[in-house]
């Protein structure tokens, strides 16, 4: 209900303004109050709107934060699933890295800038693959299926034989005529026989002049003091441990079966005696290895028991570093140390080497390769990456494509399309390596610079393209990290196309390290630094003998006896030189197995290249 004053004001406004000054002031006061009330309402509404805007902003921020948390959780779940899948694959999955799936295997886009030489080389490679596949199919059609030949159906003629006659009882064969015998050869095994050789050294004395003392023949050098063990015993102990991977406590059972039960300390002393006699041979093999242009290197962990007190390391070349690690472990009360066994694999020369260090520190490779000039291939450990700087460009580092492929393959379930495309190109690189394997160095290098360089260009372009952009592949995802690994080490991964001596991967050296892993599961640990050094020396000799396909026991027995007799021509005693003088000790079946495996792999690659 309107008040009388407001009613009058409205009438005056509607009709005309008042003429009286007091009425005008009264009207102005009323209007001012109305304006103030309206402004107050506007301010209140503006405040409410501002509060609502802030509320909406807070809610939007909360929504974005929740969405970001949800994305992080989803990414974490994906990473955990990939990790679980990787662990399950390591436990129960296939061990081979070979795959037959993957899109884009035959989609080699040459583009417009590829030279005619590249096209002709690819056409030649395809023709060669077709010929190999055709030859394999024709030979399989011509040859009828037959039982595989068994080389062990007849026993070797040099094995000793004795006869055992089985006849009918006398009453059954009476009146019958003997027309011949059926011969059946049965192989027997006689447990290792131990015997004691008693050597009597004559002693002479001068009957008149007793000052001349007693004269006796010169005694040969033995493995241990007193010449109590023949070299054959030392060979058996070393071969059993580093070739058959039998620890001392299992060797005790073997010797006990032959009638002698040695203590573990006795077996250790015998091993130490063999290593001491052959230590110069191990040093020669390491020196010979460094004559190669390219060396592969890898390492694996070995448990080292922490000593109760610091050993004397004054004569050890790495005494300072070893002392630092042992002092830290002793002070911290650690029962053991994660030491390292390093493997070195010559690319072209038939030699391998091992080295033992107390930690994964660069002083190991730096010392072993101290006078080496050439290429080092391995994983992208920081110590390898910086070896070129530390060596003054004397050593060039080349990265391993098998490591890069492994990292990419681990992302297959989350990024199937990208992984399939990348792995198809990597498979092309390996197909090219398979085709040029038997060519000489210049031809191999020419093919790499034409074919492999083009495939590397496709991989590099794809890694920086739309399919691998952050919008599709998050940088922190497994594939994003794998792609970053390849981009970061691209120069080292591409070095093999400029040097024919550099292999595409370091798989040969990694397979060499399986010998350490198999042995580690048996002898479990090393009791001291010096035991680790002994193992590295003996594994260098045994590993090189294995690479040359030698009868390890026969080789060790001969070189150990000659070393004890004083021979020091280590170049002649090296496995590759000894092999030429003893062809009867070459394990030809190992060579046949590798050749057959290479043929199967070559045919399989040829069929895959043809899409069959």
């Amino acid at each position: 209900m309107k008040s009388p004053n407001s009613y009058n004001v409205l009438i005056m406004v509607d009709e005309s303004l008042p003429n009286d000054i007091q009425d005008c002031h009264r009207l102005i006061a009323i209007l001012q109050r109305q304006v103030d009330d309206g402004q107050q309402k506007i301010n209140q509404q503006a405040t409410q709107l501002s509060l609502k805007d802030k509320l909406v902003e807070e809610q939007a921020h909360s929504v974005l934060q929740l969405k970001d948390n949800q994305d992080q959780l989803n990414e974490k779940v994906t990473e955990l699933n990939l990790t679980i899948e990787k662990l399950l694959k390591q436990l129960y999955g296939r061990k081979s890295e070979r795959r037959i799936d993957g899109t884009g295997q035959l989609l080699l886009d040459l583009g417009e800038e590829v030279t005619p030489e590249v096209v002709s080389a690819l056409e030649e490679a395809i023709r060669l693959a077709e010929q190999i596949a055709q030859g394999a199919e024709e030979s399989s059609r011509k040859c009828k299926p037959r039982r595989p030949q068994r080389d062990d159906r007849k026993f070797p003629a040099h094995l000793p034989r004795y006869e055992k006659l089985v006849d009918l009882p006398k009453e059954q064969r009476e009146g019958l005529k003997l027309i011949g015998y059926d011969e059946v050869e049965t192989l027997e095994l006689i447990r290792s026989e131990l015997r004691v050789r008693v050597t009597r050294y004559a002693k002479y004395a001068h009957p008149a002049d007793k000052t001349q003392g007693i004269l006796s023949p010169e005694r040969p050098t033995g493995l241990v003091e007193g010449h109590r063990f023949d070299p054959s015993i030392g060979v058996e102990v070393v071969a059993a441990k580093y070739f058959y991977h039998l620890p001392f406590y299992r060797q005790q059972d073997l010797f006990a079966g032959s009638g002698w039960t040695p203590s573990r300390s006795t077996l250790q002393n015998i091993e130490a005696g063999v290593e001491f006699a052959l230590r110069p041979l191990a040093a020669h093999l390491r020196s010979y290895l460094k004559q190669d242009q390219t060396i592969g290197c890898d390492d694996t962990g070995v448990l080292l028991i922490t000593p109760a007190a610091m050993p004397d390391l004054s004569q050890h070349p790495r005494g300072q570093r070893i002392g630092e690690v042992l002092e830290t472990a002793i002070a911290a009360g650690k029962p053991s140390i994660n030491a390292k066994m390093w493997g070195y694999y010559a690319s072209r020369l038939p030699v391998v080497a091992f080295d033992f260090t107390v930690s994964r520190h660069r002083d190991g490779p730096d010392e072993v390769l101290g006078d080496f000039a050439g290429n080092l291939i391995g994983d992208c450990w920081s110590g390898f990456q910086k070896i070129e700087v530390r060596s003054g460009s004397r050593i060039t580092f080349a990265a391993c494509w098998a490591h890069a492929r492994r990292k990419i393959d681990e992302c297959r379930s989350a990024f199937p399309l990208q992984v399939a495309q990348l792995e198809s190109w990597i498979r092309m690189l390996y197909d090219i390596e398979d085709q040029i394997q038997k060519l000489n160095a210049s031809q191999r290098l020419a093919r790499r610079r034409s074919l492999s360089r083009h495939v590397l260009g496709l991989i590099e372009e794809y890694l920086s393209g739309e399919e691998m952009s952050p919008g599709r592949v998050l940088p922190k995802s497994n594939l994003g990290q794998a792609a970053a690994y390849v981009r970061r080490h691209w120069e080292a991964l591409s070095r093999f196309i400029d040097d024919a001596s550099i292999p595409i991967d370091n798989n040969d050296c990694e397979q060499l390290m399986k010998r350490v892993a198999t042995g580690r599961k048996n002898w479990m640990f090393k009791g001291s630094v010096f035991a680790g050094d002994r193992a590295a020396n003996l594994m260098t000799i045994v590993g090189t003998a294995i690479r040359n396909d030698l009868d390890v026991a026969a080789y060790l027995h001969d070189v150990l006896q000659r070393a004890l007799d004083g021979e020091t021509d280590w170049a002649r005693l090296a496995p590759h030189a000894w092999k030429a003088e003893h062809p009867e000790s070459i394990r030809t079946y190992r060579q046949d197995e590798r050749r057959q495996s290479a043929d199967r792999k070559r045919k399989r690659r040829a069929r895959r290249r043809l899409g069959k």
Side-chain angles (χ1 to χ4, degrees):
M1 183 176 179
K2 295 182 180 180
S3 63
N5 292 334
S6 63
Y7 179 78
N8 294 333
V9 170
L10 289 174
I11 292 178
M12 286 189 299
V13 171
D14 291 340
E15 294 180 355
S16 63
L17 293 174
N19 295 325
D20 189 358
I21 188 67
Q22 293 181 354
D23 293 337
C24 289
H25 284 299
R26 198 164 39 252
L27 178 61
I28 291 171
I30 293 172
L31 292 174
Q32 185 64 42
R33 284 196 300 272
Q34 291 179 351
V35 170
D36 292 341
D37 292 342
Q39 187 64 41
Q40 186 176 2
K41 291 179 180 179
I42 291 173
N43 292 337
Q44 291 176 354
Q45 292 176 354
T47 302
Q48 292 176 356
L49 288 175
S50 177
L51 291 174
K52 290 180 179 179
D53 289 341
K54 290 182 178 180
L55 179 61
V56 170
E57 184 179 351
E58 289 292 333
Q59 290 176 344
H61 180 72
S62 300
V63 169
L64 292 175
Q65 189 173 6
L66 289 173
K67 185 178 182 303
D68 184 57
N69 292 338
Q70 184 68 28
D71 291 340
Q72 292 180 2
L73 289 174
N74 290 336
E75 183 179 349
K76 188 68 175 177
V77 169
T78 303
E79 291 179 359
L80 291 174
N81 287 334
L82 289 173
T83 303
I84 293 172
E85 182 181 352
K86 177 181 176 182
L87 294 174
L88 290 175
K89 189 184 298 182
Q90 290 177 351
L91 287 173
Y92 309 111
R94 64 201 304 274
K95 303 303 180 184
S96 173
E97 296 178 1
R98 176 174 61 86
R99 289 188 177 274
I100 59 174
D101 57 342
T103 60
Q105 173 63 29
L106 299 178
L107 303 178
L108 183 57
D109 185 10
L110 298 177
E112 298 180 356
E113 299 181 357
V114 180
T115 62
E117 290 80 4
V118 175
V119 178
S120 62
L122 284 172
E123 291 176 350
E124 182 183 351
I126 293 174
R127 283 196 298 271
L128 178 62
E130 290 175 349
Q131 291 176 2
I132 294 174
Q134 264 182 342
E137 290 179 0
E138 290 177 2
S139 61
S140 63
R141 283 196 298 267
K142 291 179 181 178
C143 300
K144 295 181 180 180
R146 60 181 180 179
R147 293 175 59 185
Q149 294 183 354
R150 293 173 55 187
D151 296 332
D152 58 348
R153 291 184 65 85
K154 290 188 176 180
F155 303 119
H158 67 271
L159 294 178
R161 285 169 167 78
Y162 71 96
E163 291 187 357
K164 177 181 179 182
L165 181 63
V166 180
D167 205 344
L168 292 173
K170 184 177 181 180
E171 59 273 12
Q172 292 186 14
R173 65 174 184 264
E174 188 174 349
L176 301 179
K177 179 182 178 181
L178 179 66
I179 60 175
Y181 292 93
D182 286 333
E183 290 188 353
V184 178
E185 289 192 343
T186 304
L187 188 66
E188 295 179 354
L189 174 65
I190 301 175
R191 178 171 283 181
S192 298
E193 180 182 357
L194 294 174
R195 60 184 182 182
V196 178
R197 181 179 71 242
V198 180
T199 305
R200 303 176 67 186
Y201 294 93
K203 299 188 296 182
Y204 293 90
H206 198 279
D209 189 2
K210 296 184 178 180
T211 60
Q212 294 186 10
I214 298 175
L215 299 178
S216 182
E218 183 180 356
R219 313 232 174 152
T221 304
L223 289 178
V224 297
E225 186 178 358
H227 195 38
R228 298 186 65 245
F229 301 103
D230 186 73
S232 58
I233 299 296
V235 168
E236 187 68 21
V237 172
V238 171
K241 185 171 184 180
Y242 296 108
F243 183 56
Y244 298 109
H245 310 294
L246 297 178
F248 286 152
Y249 74 91
R250 292 183 190 167
Q251 293 188 40
Q252 282 181 303
D253 294 333
L254 291 178
F255 282 114
S258 299
W260 173 58
T261 308
S263 65
R264 299 180 192 180
S265 60
T266 298
L267 296 176
Q268 182 179 353
N269 290 337
I270 294 174
E271 177 194 315
V274 175
E275 187 271 336
F276 180 78
L278 298 181
R279 189 178 302 169
L281 176 59
H284 169 76
L285 293 177
R286 291 193 184 95
S287 177
Y288 178 66
L289 174 133
K290 288 180 282 189
Q291 297 178 19
D292 206 331
Q293 178 63 24
T294 300
I295 295 176
C297 183
D298 198 12
D299 68 283
T300 187
V302 175
L303 200 66
L304 173 65
I305 301 299
T306 304
M310 281 294 297
D312 182 12
L313 302 170
S314 57
Q315 302 299 322
H316 201 287
R318 303 173 195 156
Q320 181 177 357
R321 173 64 183 170
I322 296 174
E324 294 173 357
V325 175
L326 293 183
E327 285 178 358
T328 303
I330 293 173
K334 293 183 178 180
S336 61
I337 299 170
N338 185 24
K340 294 293 179 182
M341 187 70 77
W342 301 79
Y344 298 88
Y345 191 95
S347 175
R348 302 297 176 192
L349 299 179
V351 60
V352 302
F354 289 89
D355 184 48
F356 178 79
T357 61
V358 295
S359 65
R360 199 187 193 195
H361 194 263
R362 62 175 181 263
D363 60 346
D366 284 355
E367 181 182 342
V368 173
L369 304 175
D371 54 350
F372 170 69
N375 306 306
L376 177 68
I377 183 169
D379 57 26
C380 293
W381 171 53
S382 59
F384 290 157
Q385 296 177 49
K386 299 174 183 177
I387 197 169
E388 185 171 353
V389 177
R390 298 196 307 273
S391 65
S393 300
R394 176 172 42 84
I395 300 176
T396 302
F397 172 68
C400 168
W401 266 104
H403 282 82
R405 180 179 59 185
R406 240 172 260 143
K407 290 181 179 295
I408 293 172
D409 187 70
E410 291 171 358
C411 316
R412 176 174 289 271
S413 60
F415 303 93
L417 298 179
Q418 292 92 332
V419 169
Q421 181 63 77
L422 288 170
E423 286 199 344
S424 66
W425 281 323
I426 296 175
R427 195 153 47 236
M428 286 180 188
L429 293 176
Y430 277 86
D431 287 344
I432 294 170
E433 291 299 309
D434 182 64
Q435 295 173 23
I436 67 177
Q437 185 177 12
K438 296 184 178 180
L439 302 180
N440 58 42
S442 59
Q443 293 173 332
R444 201 161 53 246
L445 185 60
R447 294 293 183 88
R448 282 181 173 181
R449 286 178 172 174
S450 58
L451 302 178
S452 300
R453 188 189 298 275
H454 179 69
V455 177
L456 288 176
L458 296 176
I459 297 176
E460 187 177 19
E461 182 180 357
Y462 188 82
L463 290 175
S464 58
E466 179 65 25
E467 292 293 330
M468 298 294 294
S469 62
R472 296 193 178 185
V473 179
L474 294 175
K476 290 187 178 181
S477 65
N478 281 19
L479 183 58
Q481 294 179 9
Y485 174 90
V486 176
R487 294 191 200 100
R488 189 166 57 251
H489 305 296
W490 185 256
E491 183 179 357
L493 287 168
S494 304
R495 286 214 168 98
F496 77 100
I497 63 174
D498 295 322
D499 192 332
S501 69
I502 301 178
I504 192 173
D505 57 36
N506 196 33
N507 282 349
D508 289 332
C509 189
E510 290 190 10
Q511 292 174 4
L512 175 68
M513 302 309 292
K514 290 182 179 179
R515 301 199 61 79
V516 183
T518 305
R520 182 180 56 208
K521 291 180 179 179
N522 291 275
W523 37 256
M524 302 296 289
F525 58 84
K526 288 300 173 186
S528 67
V529 175
F530 303 102
D533 292 337
R534 285 198 301 270
N537 288 332
L538 292 173
M539 291 176 68
T540 296
I541 299 170
V542 172
T544 304
I546 294 172
R547 182 171 180 180
N548 285 272
D549 300 315
L550 295 178
D551 180 345
V552 174
Y555 168 72
L556 286 177
H557 190 277
D558 185 62
V559 298
L560 179 59
Q561 184 63 66
R562 291 161 70 174
L564 292 174
D565 291 342
E567 187 170 343
T568 57
D569 187 0
W570 305 114
R572 188 180 178 186
L573 295 180
H576 59 277
W578 191 88
K579 176 180 180 179
E581 298 178 359
H582 299 80
E584 73 282 355
S585 296
I586 301 175
R587 296 302 189 221
T588 55
Y589 58 87
R590 294 298 183 200
Q591 299 173 343
D592 295 338
E593 287 175 356
R594 284 199 303 273
R595 185 165 50 251
Q596 293 168 5
S597 176
D599 291 341
R600 288 194 299 269
K601 185 183 295 184
R602 193 174 296 110
K603 291 178 182 178
R604 186 170 61 243
R605 288 183 183 275
R607 293 194 199 98
R608 191 176 63 237
R609 284 194 293 267
L610 296 175
K612 298 181 180 181

